[in-house]
Each structure stands twice: as structure tokens, then as C-alpha cells.
Amino acid sequence: MSARGDAAAAFQFLSRFPVKYSPDFSPELLRRSVVYYPLVGAAIGLSAALGAAAAAWLLPAWPAAVITLILWVGLTGGLHLDGWMDSADALLSYRSRERMLEIMKDSRVGAMGVLACVLLLLLKASLLAALIEGGSYSMLPLLLLPPVWSRWYMVRAMARYPLARGNEGLAASFGGLPARLERRARLTAALLTLAAAAAPLALGAGSGAWPQLAAAAILAPAAAAACGMLAARRIASRLGGLTGDVYGALGELLETVVLLVLVLLQHNL
């Protein structure tokens, strides 16, 4: 299988981009495709940045932020939000391990899942509004960083933590993920970060933007790694490992964390 096929599989699995490819999504293909998860994140982030620029040109910050968020969620098909809600229903139920895993398998969404989803989307919209209102169009390429590093950490979680259900479920397809694939995904994320940090300068941000850009390039991966490790360890200790829903929940959490880092940098540097 070519690298092009692996990348196409990653785009089809994680996004709603119209990729013309008909994979069989075998466990081998799914494992190889994780190298391109940060690339999928970059495509989503670039689309969100372009959408934010167009929306902010026509509308005030808050409506522009909500439209950007709708585009962002639409490009993922709500895949990770589903995992966020299922994980919230289970983990906030404070039931036994077995019962929490049963709750995750239930296709219905409970009150805690709905509440967690609403609060997450409100926080994301507010952070996007702050970025749009407080920054310039040239700084919007930094929106690549949240989806890039959140998807890298999903790969890291696959490689470093056991599976809560053993060989059951979709997550089992990623069992035994080689560490070398996580390292390649990290390299891809790092190269994309350098491009995202350099783009504002090419768009006329000026030399005064250097501190914010350099800090964003350093702190985005650091925040994703630190917060991801804390969350993944805590969840794994309660469930005996991670599930596909938890991978998605980690992705949503870390997108929000990196967005928060960008807002903090924008307002303090």
C-alpha cells in the first residue's frame, strides 16, 4: 500500500473531506494511516482559518466564531464529539469499570454527555471569538495547531496505553501500534507547526509577532502532551485502558486546551 493510500485512509476515517478512495480499513491500514493524523488536523485547521477570515470580514467576532466552529465540526462529522459525549456519560457516572464500559457502548446520549458537549462548544466558540476579535488575519494560521497536536496525541495514546476492552471494538484495530509510527506522526506535527508559525510572517504579521509565534510553536505541543498525559492516565486508571471513544474525547479536550493557550498568548504577549 502506498503512502498516498495511507493518507487517504486517514482523511476518510477522521474527516468529511471528499477523498476518492475505497479502502477496506483493515487493522494494518488503520495502523499505518495514523502517521497522517496530524496532516488531517492541518487540513481541518487550515479550512477553519480560511472560514474564520471570511466570516470575520463580514460579521462581528461572535457570529464569525460560531460559523467557524460549525465548519470545524462539520469537517470532522462530529466524530470526536460523539466520543466526548460517550466518555462524559460514562466517566461522570462514577459507576464500576464494567458499567462505565457498557455506558460507552450505548448509542444513546445521557444528560452528562449533552451538558459536556454544550459546555465544550461554548468554550470553543468563546476562544475562537477572542482570537478573531483580538488578533489580525495574518495570525489565523495558528489555528492549525489545535487540530494538529490533538490528533498527534491520539496517536500517542494509541501507542502508550492498553485497550480497555482488549480485542473488542474499533480501538482494537490500533492495538500494538509501533512506537515508530507515533514518532513519525510527531515529526509530521512538528513540521506542520513550523509552517503554521512561519505563515503569519509571510502574510505580513511583522517582526513584532515573533514572540507570540515562537511561544505558540513551543507551548502548543507541550500543553497537548502534558494535559493529554494527565487525562489519559486518569482515564486508564479508571477503565483499565482506553477506548475509541476516549481517543475522540482526548482529541476534543486537547483542541480546546491548545486554543486556550493561543488566546492566553494573544492577550499576554
Side-chain angles (χ1 to χ4, degrees), residues 41-254:
I44 292 170
L46 178 59
S47 300
L50 293 173
W57 185 59
L58 298 169
L59 296 165
W62 259 98
V66 173
I67 289 173
T68 302
L69 185 56
I70 291 172
L71 172 63
W72 197 321
V73 173
L75 288 172
T76 67
L79 176 65
H80 305 315
L81 277 176
D82 180 69
W84 172 263
M85 290 186 288
D86 287 343
S87 297
D89 277 333
L91 295 168
L92 297 178
S93 71
Y94 298 101
R95 304 289 184 86
S96 66
R97 171 186 177 273
E98 291 73 19
R99 180 57 183 145
M100 286 191 288
L101 291 174
E102 288 177 8
I103 291 172
M104 283 189 181
K105 291 177 70 174
D106 194 333
S107 60
R108 296 169 295 181
V109 178
M112 296 308 299
V114 172
L115 182 61
C117 182
V118 170
L119 293 176
L120 179 79
L121 293 176
L122 280 174
L123 179 55
K124 278 190 171 182
S126 69
L127 293 172
L128 286 170
L131 286 172
I132 291 171
E133 188 173 32
S136 64
Y137 289 107
S138 62
M139 299 298 283
L140 286 176
L142 291 180
L143 281 179
L144 271 71
L145 301 184
V148 164
W149 285 105
S150 64
R151 281 153 185 79
W152 160 74
Y153 195 83
M154 291 168 65
V155 179
R156 187 177 183 85
M158 293 171 187
R160 295 203 167 206
Y161 294 91
L163 298 171
R165 294 196 179 98
N167 293 324
E168 296 181 19
L170 182 60
S173 299
F174 301 99
L177 189 71
R180 61 181 173 79
L181 295 181
E182 184 272 324
R183 290 193 295 269
R184 288 177 59 190
R186 190 194 321 157
L187 176 60
T188 301
L191 293 175
L192 291 167
T193 297
L194 291 177
L201 298 175
L203 294 173
S207 59
W210 261 113
Q212 182 180 344
L213 295 173
I218 295 170
L219 293 179
C227 293
M229 180 185 67
L230 290 173
R233 281 185 176 179
R234 175 61 176 164
I235 295 171
S237 69
R238 295 185 63 191
L239 296 178
L242 305 183
T243 70
D245 283 329
V246 173
Y247 296 149
L250 288 171
E252 289 292 339
L253 172 66
L254 298 181

